[in-house]
Amino acid sequence: MEFSTKSIAPGLSKTACAVVGVYESRKLSAPAIALDRVARGALTKALKSGDMEGRAGATMLLHGVANTACERVLLVGLGAEKSFNEKAYRNAVAVALRAIHATGAVDAELHLTSLAAGASDIGWRIAQAATLAIESTYRFEQMKSKSDKPAAALKRLVLAHAAADARRAAKALAQGVALGHGMSFAKDLGNLPGNVCTPTYLANQAQALARRYKLKIKVLNRPEMQKLGMGTLLSVARGSAEPPKLIVLEYHGGPKNQKPVALVGKGVTFDTGGTSLKPAGEMDEMKFDMSGAGSVLGTLRAVAEMKLPINVVGIIPATENMPGSRATKPGDIVKSMSGQTVEILNTDAEGRLILCDALTYAERYQPSAVIDIATLTGACVIALGHVVSGLFANDDALAKEVLAAGEAAQDRAWHLPLHDEYQEQLKSNFADFANIGGRPAGAVTAACYLSRFAKKFKWVHLDIAGTAWKSGREKGSTGRPVPLLTQFLVNRAATK
Ligand code: BES
Ligand code: MN
Ligand code: ZN
């Protein structure tokens, strides 16, 4: 889709579909009033017919509105004006896009961007609309022999703004589009099946990304990991015939001497549980267990497309977790790159085993902050459901910064505890500690485990087990938390 931002009066320029909002009940928004004037009261008259009250989620399509240059006018319900906040805005835009796609219009003019919504500014509204538009046309059909649904007819979308905001609108549009592309990339990687999206495939995708955006890349293979002493990472790869990879990408957009932000993403391309085999039900969804890795690649793509002035390094430990004949067994003890030894009591707690070596690897970059992203625990899904990601941190200021980015991006996280008392659950009689801490507070003890490898930097851990994908009829990757991560880096680039 082609996007543009324009300062335009509704009704006067030629378009297949002009989109304006109506508050509850039957109160025209400012762009709707302007359009109504051009149309000599046609909108007011249509509203009086009673079919549209302006409730959130409602739409009304008018054809051939006389005196306007619009083939169609789409009225979108906004709900009560005083409660029209950021979330209501996003919902209204999503509803509008669905209605536009249902018409088959090839171009459209969105005037919802001009509406005050909560504390948002024009830049935020434009960026959000662009990202939502890309999301609305996302299809995953690479694996189908023929397409299910026809591609969206919409080819051009104009986002309206006031004349004074031209510069901000253009910049915001570029950022919103870049984020949309990053999310689509992450979704594609997540949606691909485990027999296609292997550690080698992830490495190849990272190579292609590096070529396209001139990133520095290094892919470590098994012998190289052995040399570094990455015993916990390799203990997970043992049961699989697919070779593991440690993918390291560097984006240099900032000053040479600026310490980078490190993003560390769990890249388990399929999680059977290993010797501690998972039950069969819904095991297919464990192809999404590389969503942390996907979010790192998606974020790097967005950041590189935005040309953000910041340094970022992405570190992805990638492996399958399989129950092969050489697989790790419960009770096995392995040594991590940090030198700490781990008793593996459950081979299904594999995410932390690959992340801990990747965190130790991150130390060499002396990062200003490290964020790891992982579909780490079923316990986090029980605690928080599918609404927010779980956030753990060893630094409160960094936690706040990441939480705020999630709020701004409407891709939220929630701060969970990491008190020392929980560490006791990881006690082992045979090694320095165990890789599981029992049923109570499973998401917390997983984070406790990781915290033992994050002593040398400011660190946030995001457990995205509940937010990275959807189950059921709408099964598929969500692209989260690419919006949160990208916003975090956008904010950092602006302040540093
Ligand atoms: N990838 C899973 C976590 C997961 C489970 C994400 C279900 C989404 C839905 C992770 O590797 C895992 O298996 N974790 C175990 C840990 C347990 C053995 C301590 C879990 O959550 O059951
Ligand atoms: Mn597992
Ligand atoms: Zn897993």
Side-chain angles (χ1 to χ4, degrees):
M1 202 180 334
E2 229 176 82
F3 293 93
S4 56
T5 55
K6 246 187 218 157
S7 162
I8 32 167
L12 298 180
S13 47
K14 217 167 121 40
T15 178
C17 189
V19 184
V20 293
V22 180
Y23 297 109
E24 205 165 357
S25 46
R26 298 198 174 85
K27 182 176 183 237
L28 296 177
S29 63
I33 291 171
L35 180 52
D36 193 39
R37 243 181 242 133
V38 176
R40 306 205 185 134
L43 303 197
T44 306
K45 201 172 145 209
L47 285 178
K48 278 213 179 108
S49 74
D51 293 349
M52 163 88 166
E53 291 172 22
R55 255 199 303 263
T59 58
M60 182 157 121
L61 188 65
L62 307 174
H63 280 271
V65 177
N67 306 308
T68 72
C70 317
E71 272 174 56
R72 305 171 185 79
V73 170
L74 178 66
L75 302 178
V76 177
L78 306 172
E81 184 169 10
K82 64 176 185 317
S83 54
F84 190 69
N85 58 13
E86 287 85 350
K87 188 157 167 247
Y89 170 78
R90 272 177 60 93
N91 288 339
V93 171
V95 164
L97 286 162
R98 223 172 297 139
I100 295 169
H101 292 316
T103 66
V106 287
D107 65 288
E109 217 175 83
L110 191 69
H111 291 278
L112 302 180
T113 42
S114 308
L115 305 175
S120 70
D121 62 10
I122 180 69
W124 185 88
R125 293 192 298 272
I126 296 242
Q128 288 281 326
T131 308
L132 284 165
I134 290 175
E135 283 209 77
S136 75
T137 58
Y138 178 81
R139 303 265 190 289
F140 181 75
E141 297 188 319
Q142 311 179 34
M143 305 304 291
K144 300 202 183 207
S145 56
K146 58 181 194 305
S147 173
D148 275 357
K149 289 187 252 169
L154 188 66
K155 289 286 167 300
R156 285 178 303 280
L157 185 63
V158 179
L159 305 173
H161 61 80
D165 293 324
R167 222 206 260 132
R168 274 161 83 194
K171 183 170 176 207
L173 172 60
Q175 296 208 334
V177 168
L179 173 59
H181 290 157
M183 288 177 77
S184 298
F185 185 32
K187 286 183 195 179
D188 279 349
L189 293 170
N191 288 332
L192 281 167
N195 64 329
V196 174
C197 185
T198 58
T200 304
Y201 182 89
L202 278 182
N204 289 342
Q205 288 294 305
Q207 295 278 13
L209 187 72
R211 268 194 303 277
R212 176 159 179 191
Y213 291 102
K214 303 195 167 48
L215 313 181
K216 233 175 111 182
I217 184 165
K218 207 165 30 181
V219 178
L220 307 192
N221 56 23
R222 199 191 305 255
E224 289 165 312
M225 291 185 241
Q226 251 148 9
K227 228 180 261 157
L228 288 169
M230 297 182 148
T232 49
L233 201 177
L234 290 169
S235 77
V236 177
R238 280 183 69 84
S240 169
E242 285 292 337
K245 305 281 175 193
L246 183 78
I247 304 162
V248 186
L249 281 160
E250 292 174 36
Y251 168 75
H252 294 274
K256 253 210 155 62
N257 58 355
Q258 183 196 65
K259 306 239 151 95
V261 171
L263 303 178
V264 179
K266 171 177 174 182
V268 173
T269 58
F270 197 84
D271 181 12
T272 66
T275 307
S276 314
L277 194 63
K278 285 183 182 295
E282 278 129 54
M283 205 209 272
D284 67 291
E285 296 192 3
M286 284 301 121
K287 72 174 182 177
F288 295 115
D289 212 19
M290 38 52 67
S291 297
S295 75
V296 171
L297 293 174
T299 300
L300 281 170
R301 163 154 189 172
V303 162
E305 189 175 322
M306 291 177 189
K307 301 193 173 76
L308 277 190
I310 193 171
N311 296 335
V312 186
V313 45
I315 304 175
I316 296 171
T319 178
E320 283 185 338
N321 186 23
M322 297 287 284
S325 66
R326 309 191 73 90
T328 295
K329 305 164 289 296
D332 285 1
I333 295 176
V334 295
K335 193 186 225 168
S336 66
M337 182 179 173
S338 73
Q340 302 177 96
T341 62
V342 181
E343 183 184 16
I344 300 177
L345 289 176
N346 189 320
T347 64
D348 198 10
E350 85 296 344
R352 61 198 81 178
L353 294 172
I354 68 170
L355 288 168
C356 69
D357 277 343
L359 286 171
T360 302
Y361 188 85
E363 286 175 7
R364 65 185 54 201
Y365 288 96
Q366 296 176 285
S368 61
V370 177
I371 303 177
D372 81 66
I373 310 100
T375 49
L376 204 63
T377 65
C380 190
V381 189
I382 301 302
L384 300 175
H386 306 286
V387 179
V388 296
S389 303
L391 181 147
F392 302 84
N394 66 5
D395 183 272
D396 272 336
L398 180 61
K400 279 214 181 96
E401 200 180 337
V402 175
L403 289 166
E407 287 294 326
Q410 298 274 303
D411 177 12
R412 291 197 187 79
W414 194 259
H415 200 164
L416 293 171
L418 202 64
H419 300 120
D420 277 345
E421 286 88 332
Y422 292 107
Q423 296 280 358
E424 288 159 29
Q425 288 175 234
L426 294 175
K427 202 180 150 341
S428 162
N429 285 353
F430 305 108
D432 293 349
F433 43 88
N435 76 326
I436 54 168
R439 298 244 299 159
V444 180
T445 52
C448 282
Y449 174 96
L450 293 176
S451 74
R452 295 169 182 234
F453 301 84
K455 300 261 191 245
K456 302 220 169 109
F457 39 67
K458 293 176 182 173
W459 161 77
V460 156
H461 157 59
L462 291 173
D463 193 331
I464 58 166
T467 52
W469 75 87
K470 290 185 179 161
S471 308
R473 251 169 50 85
E474 284 186 88
K475 192 189 287 185
S477 174
T478 60
R480 290 177 70 181
V482 174
L484 175 154
L485 295 170
T486 304
Q487 187 68 48
F488 172 82
L489 294 168
V490 165
N491 293 351
R492 277 235 158 170
T495 54
K496 291 278 146 84

